[in-house]
Each structure stands twice: as structure tokens, then as C-alpha cells.
Amino acid sequence: MSMRPGKLWSRTVFLLILATIASTVILPILYFLTISFASNYEAYQFPAKIFPTFSYSAQLRYNAEKDSYTLLLKKGSTYEAVKTTQDVSDFSLYCKSQLNVLLSSAAVQELFNKAKNTDHALPIKLKKDFFRNYIVFFILAEGSMCALFNSLKAAGWTILISLILGGVSGYIMARYKFKFSNTFSTSLLVVRMFPAVALSLPLVVYIMKMNLYDTSFALAIVYAVPNIALTAWITSSIFKGISVELEEAAMVFGATRLKTLMTITFPLAFPAIIASSLYAFLAAWNDSITALIMTNNNPTLALLVYRTVGSSTIPNLPAAGAVVLLVPSLIFTFIIKNYINQLWGKVAL
Amino acid sequence: MSYLKLNSLKKTYPNGVTAVKDIDLEIEKGEFVVILGPSGCGKTTTLRMLAGLEEVTNGSIILNGRDITHLPPRQRDISMIFQSYAVWPHMTVAENIAYPLKLRKMDKHTIHSKVQEVARICNILDYLNRYPAQLSGGQRQRVAVARALAVDSKLSLMDEPLSNLDAKLRTSVRTFLKEIHRNTGATTIFVTHDQAEAMALADRIVVMNEGKIEQVGSTREIYNQCGSLFTAQFMGTPPANIQKVSLISNQERLIANDKNAETQFSLDLGNQSAFPGIDRYIGEEIFLAIRPENINISEPKGINETSIEIVEPQGAYTILVTKVFGSEWKIMLEGDIDIRIGQKVSLIIDPGKIMLFDAQSKKRVNFS
Ligand SMILES: Nc1ncnc2c1ncn2[C@@H]1O[C@H](COP(=O)(O)OP(=O)(O)OP(=O)(O)O)[C@@H](O)[C@H]1O
Ligand SMILES: [Mg+2]
């Protein structure tokens, strides 16, 4: 399979890959992270910063005629006045809410005194409370641990349901040719065309009748419906990729059909199936619309993020929520990737 | 009663293709039989029916006195080496070899010593803990052999096990397989479309064509006494020179004339007495086949004269191409022949090496 492309060619390919990774992965994630650490003040600045900041370079000026203090923040090469006040607690509140800087009244008073005693503006460094947005987010988002647990449960059920049902259909699609096999596989796709809302609204009634409303399992059912089809298609290509000869060899050497399935086919398909469970996981993890309809007191994390910061006009808190949502799925992905990479003598699948 | 017996075995696939038509074959215990035939002639289908991987449409298979026609594969006590080797990628080499033994409920100790034993024979002791992905094609192939070897099966099937190896490895594995057969004496059916492989390995060759057996015999028989026109065409590199001719008798000599008299060429086949019973074919059309190495050349003598058109030196031998009856005939001569293109020569043919085939049945016409 290996060919030796020219140096220029391989360099071009390398650059293209780099550009793709940069534009689809690195830049958005970096932007998200930076915004999630930004204070309100920073979030309004344009152009936005690429990297998060840890402190502000500022000046504090005393205006003798009004007996007030003006805070100036460095912007480019000049300083911009952002707050003028006479009151210590007003100043402290501004720092906390707009700049994510925590200053006690005593500390502010000390700064004021210093500024009063200098002729020029007093140069100061204001240290940011770096994780302020996250703390605020978790304070606002009450019961986020519970929601995280709900999300995990819903994702787990979704994976289980879609892998079992989708896997069986996938195996049938891959190994058996019957009269309507094409119709069967196409009709599976049709299910995917329904919008989630169209599925969940009518289902709510039945779910309520079954006393399953507001449970992760009910959510998983709705998530699984379109996912079964996707999983079936993915697993069918996985099963098709497993040479029939491998199964036949097992049967010739003494295995029953069931034994072959359990010791050859399934173990061979397993890593790829696990990888495909990522789709089910993400479908469950990222949804908030269905959860909005199907849950009440037991929201999922995505729904909680949406409820908490969905109406916010400043992007930094939602970004923090998004990062909170993102971390578990990243962990899940890496675990899977590692697991697959060390299988069977590090065969790349 | 022979060890393995195929009785008018037939296979028609659901799509209507009849891949195997009425095969009758008997194989003795310990024989190494090679099924040889062109691509698509039904070799794999036959083998798969033996292994139980393909349902038999008609006929029966008797192995060691037991009718196994409709038994599932696992009850047939047969081992198989697949063209793709079919070693399981999620098991180490040792696990691959041990898997069939575990299914046979052998105890751990026996399995371990058996694995060691066959691994030593197949020279893969060092790789026992590796996964197939970490092996080369040739090593994987030996794992497949070891796995088949470990189960002392009644019958060993091999479907083109060498076709995925490079030419050099192929000959060495060939020798290795033959050696193993000599040591174990396992009854083996080996499928290939490579005649060199077949001739080198086989106790007996079964030539197949279009789902039927053309001829069964030893390498020598298959090569020198082709039972049918197909075998003559198929066997040999280069294959036999073949021409449809009409025979005439001229002063006790047998002359072959061009069927469509355009070229006006006639070939003197020698004294008619060398072909007893040829009388009934005089004046009839017949297929004439002569192997390239059975033709010699001499100075032009006014008989069977032709000119050399192409010279292909091959080192140990030389292939000459000439026009006979308007078609290209090949002549194979030992050594490096000094001859130039366009040179006139006379063809010398040993009448005993001439093969004639009936124009209708395409079967060998025997004189004895
Ligand atoms: N599963 C199948 N369904 C329908 N037709 C088939 C099937 N398998 C094989 N055939 C047909 O049966 C015929 C014989 O096939 P087979 O595989 O036995 O040939 P072969 O002699 O093994 O050829 P090769 O040397 O190329 O492997 C072919 O014409 C092939 O197209
Ligand atoms: Mg074949």
C-alpha cells in the first residue's frame, strides 16, 4: 500500500492536513477556551484575544476636583478609562463582576490611598481570578452533578439500546441476503430523517403512560431510535469488513455457528463497534431539545447548560458551560481511542 | 473401498450457475491429490462442498466409510488452509493454533505440547506470542499450516494456499508442504491453477474444466498422455501446439493437411505404421497436438519446411517460433541455439509423441 510521493507533494499534503486541523479543531477550541476564561469586559473587546489572559495592566487616577477615582485599562498602547467612582465597594463590585478580579474592600482602600498620594496615575496590576466563570457557572447551575449523572445514564442506555438492536440489524444486513434486504436497509435510514422533536412529542404520551417520564431511560429510547439505524449501517460495514473466511475457518475447525459468532465475529467487530458507540454517545450527550420535552426535574447536563446560560448575552459564561459539557465527551473519546490502539499488537483499524 | 469417495457430486448456486457438474472421484488414504484447472472451473466450490461450507445440490461424499454429505463442517473432522490463510487477527499465533484443539476439549497440557510441536515443525516457535498483524505473509501462511497440522484430521484441504506468496517463497513453501506430507502422510486435497505447483506436489492430478473432471492421473500421465484436448492446451509452458487438420495417407506416410487449405502447408507425421488403427480417421478432421519440446529441427530437407520467425533464448533452453499451418508454433530446444531469424529449417517430429484428438468428442484417439 505504501507509495513514495515526491517531497513537494508530501509537504503540500502535510500543510493541507495542518490547515484542516487548525481550522476545524484547534482554532474553535482555542476560541472557546479563551472566551470561557474571559471577563465580561474582555468578552466585549474587539478583536477578541486568541489566548486567555491572567491579569490586567491598569492605572488608577485620583481626580482631586471631584474626589473620585478612575480606573484605566491598557488597550493597545493607550489607556482607556473604564470606571470612575468615589465608593470603595462600588469599585470592588465592578472589578468582580466585569473584570473577574477579586479585591477586598481593604485592598481597594489601600489602592485609593496610594493613588491619592501620587501626582500621576498609579500603575497597578490586577490579577484575574482565572476560573471565575466556571465557579459562577457551577453556582448558577444548581444540581449540575445530578445533571452530569443523568447525562451519563442517558448516554449509557442510548449506547446499549442502539448497539444491541443496531448491531443485530447490521449483522443481518452484512451476512444475509434475503428478498427485501435492500428495502430493509433503506427503510432504516428513513427513520433518521425524522427530526428529534417529531419523534419525542408523540412519544411523550406513551412514555407518561408507562410511568417513564422524566427518566434517563425514556430519553435514551428517543435518542436511540434514529441511532439504531446509524449503528446498523456502521456495524454492517464493520461485519462486511470481517472476512467470511475467518468465520468459516472456525466452523471447519470445529466451532458451532454460535461459538463462531461469540469467539470470532463478535470479538473482531468489538473495537469498531465500541468506536461507533461514540455516535450514540454524542447524540445523547449533545441533545437539549429532546431533553427539554422529555424531562422535568431530572435535566441532562446539556439541558442544564442551556437553561442556565442559554439566554445570556455575553458569550463567556455559555462558553464555560460548553467547555464543561465538552470535557466528558473528550475523555470518552480518548479512552476509546487508547483502547483500540493497544489491541492486537497495535493494529491500526 | 477407497478412503474418500465423491459420487456424482453437483453444485448449482442459487443464482442458477452450476459450478460443479457430476464429479466422481476416489482418493486413497495418504494420497496428495491436486485439483488443477483454470479460474472459475469449480475447484473452490468442490473443496467447499467437501468442507461442508457449501451445500451439496446432488450426489454424496463418503469419507472413511461415513456419509458426510450433509454434516455440518465441525462434524467432518477435516482441516483446511484457506487462500487468505484466515488466521484470526485477534488471537496470537499460539491461540490461533490452540483454538481448534480447545474446541476438541483437549486438556491444557496436551494443547501446550501440541502447539509447541507444530510450531517447531513450521518454524514459528519465535512468533508464538505475536499477533498475525505483526507477521509477514509467509509467516502467516505457516501459522495456517501449523493450525491445520495440529488437528490430526482425516482430510486436509488446501485452497491455493501459495497464491498470495511471492514467486521465490512459493517454491520454498511448496517444498515445505511436500516434506510435511511425507512426514505425516495426511490425505490431502490441494487446489491450484498453477500447473508447475500441481506437477511438483501431486501424487495424482485431477484436471478440472467447466465443472467437470477432464482427466485424473500422475504428473507424467497428465503431461504426456493428455486424455483430452483441454488438458493438452492447458498443461505445459508453453502449451502444446494444436491444429485442426485433415489426415491423408500418401505412400504409407501419414500427412496432415491444413483444414482450410489457404496456407497449403502439409505436415508429414511419419510412417503410417506408427499409428495403428488410424485408418478410420483418414480423410477425417482431427486435432493434432505436439509439445514444443517434442519437435526438433534440421537443415532444410524438402519436407516439413518452414522458417524461423522469432528466437527467444531462455538460458537453459531456447524457444523458437515458426509458422505451421499459418499459426504460430513453438519449438523448445535445449541449450542456447545459434539460429537467425528467417532461417529455413525442417521440422523433425517423433511420431510416438504426437497426440491426436477426436474432432467431435475432443478426447484422445488411442492407438494400441
Ligand atoms: N457464491 C456463489 N454464487 C454464485 N456463483 C458462484 C458462487 N461462488 C462461485 N460461483 C461461480 O461458480 C463457478 C466456479 O467458482 P469457483 O470459485 O469454484 O472457481 P475456482 O475454480 O475456485 O476458480 P479460481 O481459480 O478463480 O479460484 C464460477 O463461475 C463462479 O462464478
Ligand atoms: Mg478458487
Side-chain angles (χ1 to χ4, degrees):
Chain A
M1 197 159 60
S2 77
M3 55 170 189
R4 287 209 179 279
K7 206 172 175 189
L8 183 71
W9 172 245
S10 63
R11 232 189 9 237
T12 314
V13 169
F14 177 72
L15 284 178
L16 275 177
I17 291 173
L18 210 66
T20 315
I21 291 176
S23 62
T24 60
V25 182
I26 298 177
L27 285 180
I29 286 185
L30 204 59
Y31 173 75
F32 248 132
L33 277 176
T34 307
I35 287 287
S36 77
F37 289 117
S39 64
N40 288 357
Y41 169 78
E42 285 172 313
Y44 276 127
Q45 294 298 308
F46 188 86
K49 289 213 167 53
I50 299 177
F51 297 105
T53 57
F54 294 92
S55 63
Y56 302 93
S57 302
Q59 290 181 339
L60 192 60
R61 201 169 57 211
Y62 175 64
N63 314 310
E65 62 275 23
K66 286 185 191 155
D67 190 29
S68 66
Y69 301 86
T70 303
L71 179 68
L72 299 104
L73 291 181
K74 190 170 181 184
K75 193 181 185 188
S77 52
T78 59
Y79 283 84
E80 175 192 33
V82 291
K83 178 79 181 169
T84 303
T85 183
Q86 299 173 309
D87 186 28
V88 170
S89 61
D90 187 25
F91 188 86
S92 158
L93 187 68
Y94 178 83
C95 284
K96 188 165 130 187
S97 66
Q98 297 303 310
L99 301 180
N100 287 5
V101 172
L102 294 183
L103 285 176
S104 65
S105 303
V108 174
Q109 192 60 60
E110 198 182 322
L111 282 178
F112 277 8
N113 291 343
K114 270 193 195 161
K116 206 171 188 171
N117 295 335
T118 39
D119 301 340
H120 331 284
L122 175 73
I124 51 174
K125 207 144 192 89
L126 294 177
K127 212 169 142 313
K128 239 167 92 179
D129 183 13
F130 198 60
F131 291 101
R132 177 88 198 144
N133 289 342
Y134 289 86
I135 294 162
V136 171
F137 174 80
F138 278 110
I139 293 169
L140 287 181
E142 222 179 318
S144 51
M145 271 339 256
C146 237
L148 175 75
F149 194 59
N150 284 336
S151 272
L152 286 176
K153 261 203 308 201
W157 280 117
T158 311
I159 291 174
L160 208 66
I161 298 173
S162 37
L163 279 193
I164 290 176
L165 294 181
V168 169
S169 327
Y171 185 77
I172 292 171
M173 275 159 65
R175 284 287 186 262
Y176 296 95
K177 273 266 159 279
F178 47 95
K179 207 161 183 185
F180 298 108
S181 50
N182 275 335
T183 323
F184 173 66
S185 35
T186 317
S187 65
L188 274 178
L189 272 191
V190 174
V191 183
R192 267 196 83 74
M193 295 172 191
F194 290 121
V197 181
L199 273 176
S200 36
L201 280 177
L203 260 174
V204 166
V205 182
Y206 290 100
I207 299 268
M208 279 181 158
K209 276 190 184 153
M210 288 189 287
N211 266 339
L212 286 173
Y213 183 73
D214 209 10
T215 63
S216 314
F217 183 70
L219 261 182
I221 292 177
V222 181
Y223 294 146
V225 169
N227 247 295
I228 291 169
L230 186 66
T231 314
W233 274 79
I234 295 173
T235 49
S236 93
S237 66
I238 293 168
F239 286 124
K240 273 182 194 148
I242 296 174
S243 157
V244 186
E245 282 199 349
L246 293 176
E247 296 176 349
E248 287 176 344
M251 292 199 276
V252 166
F253 282 111
T256 59
R257 237 168 219 292
L258 186 67
K259 186 94 184 168
T260 306
L261 197 67
M262 298 311 288
T263 55
I264 307 291
T265 319
F266 187 64
L268 280 174
F270 192 65
I273 287 179
I274 289 297
S276 80
S277 73
L278 198 61
Y279 287 94
F281 177 86
L282 291 180
W285 192 261
N286 292 341
D287 165 84
S288 47
I289 303 282
T290 308
L292 192 63
I293 301 168
M294 304 282 295
T295 60
N296 191 18
N297 296 323
N298 294 312
T300 59
L301 192 60
L303 178 57
L304 193 76
V305 170
Y306 171 71
R307 272 192 197 160
T308 311
V309 292
S311 52
S312 168
T313 51
I314 308 174
N316 53 356
L317 262 194
V323 172
V324 168
L325 201 56
L326 179 72
V327 167
S329 34
L330 278 182
I331 293 173
F332 186 75
T333 312
F334 276 107
I335 289 175
I336 284 182
K337 196 184 149 289
N338 270 348
Y339 163 72
I340 288 172
N341 270 0
Q342 32 175 281
L343 262 186
W344 312 338
K346 303 215 191 301
V347 203
L349 279 177
Chain B
M1 175 109 195
S2 53
Y3 186 63
L4 174 68
K5 198 161 187 290
L6 316 188
N7 294 318
S8 52
L9 205 58
K10 184 179 168 188
K11 173 69 192 182
T12 304
Y13 281 109
N15 64 358
V17 176
T18 301
V20 173
K21 307 162 187 161
D22 272 328
I23 283 203
D24 285 293
L25 185 64
E26 295 194 21
I27 291 172
E28 296 306 323
K29 191 164 185 167
E31 253 190 316
F32 198 115
V33 171
V34 174
I35 300 182
L36 175 66
S39 185
C41 71
K43 307 181 294 289
T44 299
T45 307
T46 309
L47 216 58
R48 288 174 59 83
M49 283 194 284
L50 287 174
L53 298 171
E54 213 69 71
E55 235 171 273
V56 174
T57 310
N58 209 347
S60 63
I61 306 167
I62 315 287
L63 176 60
N64 201 15
R66 189 166 67 131
D67 186 341
I68 59 165
T69 319
H70 299 292
L71 289 183
R74 66 176 188 281
Q75 290 172 13
R76 298 188 176 206
D77 200 4
I78 282 176
S79 69
M80 187 157 175
I81 299 174
F82 291 78
Q83 184 172 0
S84 63
Y85 316 144
V87 291
W88 301 297
H90 61 304
M91 299 183 192
T92 62
V93 170
E95 286 165 350
N96 260 284
I97 301 173
Y99 181 84
L101 307 177
K102 275 186 203 146
L103 290 175
R104 281 166 176 70
K105 304 250 164 7
M106 290 188 184
D107 67 271
K108 259 201 175 127
H109 190 74
T110 322
I111 290 179
H112 180 79
S113 55
K114 192 89 204 170
V115 169
Q116 293 290 323
E117 183 194 329
V118 294
R120 193 176 39 73
I121 295 174
C122 297
N123 205 5
I124 47 172
L125 266 180
D126 295 342
Y127 315 127
L128 278 179
N129 291 321
R130 290 212 200 159
Y131 284 96
Q134 299 163 322
L135 299 178
S136 73
Q139 290 163 342
R140 253 176 260 175
Q141 215 269 351
R142 278 185 297 199
V143 175
V145 175
R147 183 176 65 185
L149 206 58
V151 296
D152 298 310
S153 57
K154 291 207 178 73
L155 179 64
S156 194
L157 305 177
M158 308 184 186
D159 190 359
E160 310 204 21
L162 310 180
S163 61
N164 285 342
L165 304 177
D166 64 55
K168 201 168 167 199
L169 205 54
R170 208 176 301 169
T171 41
S172 76
V173 177
R174 196 163 84 188
T175 318
F176 164 70
L177 284 181
K178 193 156 188 172
E179 210 174 277
I180 284 187
H181 178 254
R182 202 182 53 223
N183 292 338
T184 60
T187 316
T188 307
I189 300 182
F190 183 104
V191 158
T192 183
H193 60 247
D194 179 343
Q195 45 171 309
E197 213 165 277
M199 292 194 279
L201 282 168
D203 293 329
R204 274 200 303 159
I205 296 179
V206 177
V207 181
M208 257 184 97
N209 183 35
E210 293 181 344
K212 279 190 254 172
I213 293 182
E214 288 280 339
Q215 190 175 1
V216 182
S218 68
T219 299
R220 192 170 296 123
E221 285 165 353
I222 297 280
Y223 191 78
N224 293 320
Q225 281 135 44
C226 301
S228 66
L229 187 62
F230 170 81
T231 317
Q233 267 168 337
F234 186 68
M235 298 295 291
T237 29
N241 301 300
I242 291 167
Q243 183 70 37
K244 196 172 192 181
V245 296
S246 48
L247 293 178
I248 56 168
S249 172
N250 188 1
Q251 295 168 344
E252 286 301 299
R253 294 192 75 80
L254 191 63
I255 310 288
N257 268 332
D258 191 358
K259 188 195 114 223
N260 44 13
E262 269 170 40
T263 54
Q264 300 293 338
F265 190 92
S266 57
L267 195 65
D268 188 318
L269 301 181
N271 250 327
Q272 200 178 324
S273 57
F275 305 89
I278 193 69
D279 298 1
R280 64 195 158 99
Y281 283 97
I282 300 294
E284 298 287 324
E285 291 199 325
I286 200 164
F287 280 104
L288 167 74
I290 308 170
R291 293 213 172 274
E293 65 270 30
N294 293 335
I295 305 176
N296 214 331
I297 55 170
S298 71
E299 295 297 314
K301 289 191 273 196
I303 183 174
N304 294 348
E305 259 188 32
T306 176
S307 60
I308 302 300
E309 303 206 330
I310 299 173
V311 181
E312 296 174 1
Q314 302 279 322
Y317 56 92
T318 308
I319 293 176
L320 308 175
V321 180
T322 178
K323 276 265 162 67
V324 176
F325 301 113
S327 48
E328 286 187 346
W329 274 35
K330 293 197 166 166
I331 303 168
M332 206 162 118
L333 297 172
E334 256 178 58
D336 206 354
I337 305 295
D338 185 23
I339 201 163
R340 54 186 170 72
I341 290 170
Q343 190 169 328
K344 285 243 179 273
V345 294
S346 270
L347 304 180
I348 302 169
I349 299 161
D350 178 358
K353 298 284 172 74
I354 291 174
M355 296 185 280
L356 296 170
F357 300 93
D358 190 283
Q360 263 75 52
S361 71
K362 304 210 164 69
K363 293 283 177 223
R364 177 80 181 269
V365 177
N366 270 318
F367 310 105
S368 51

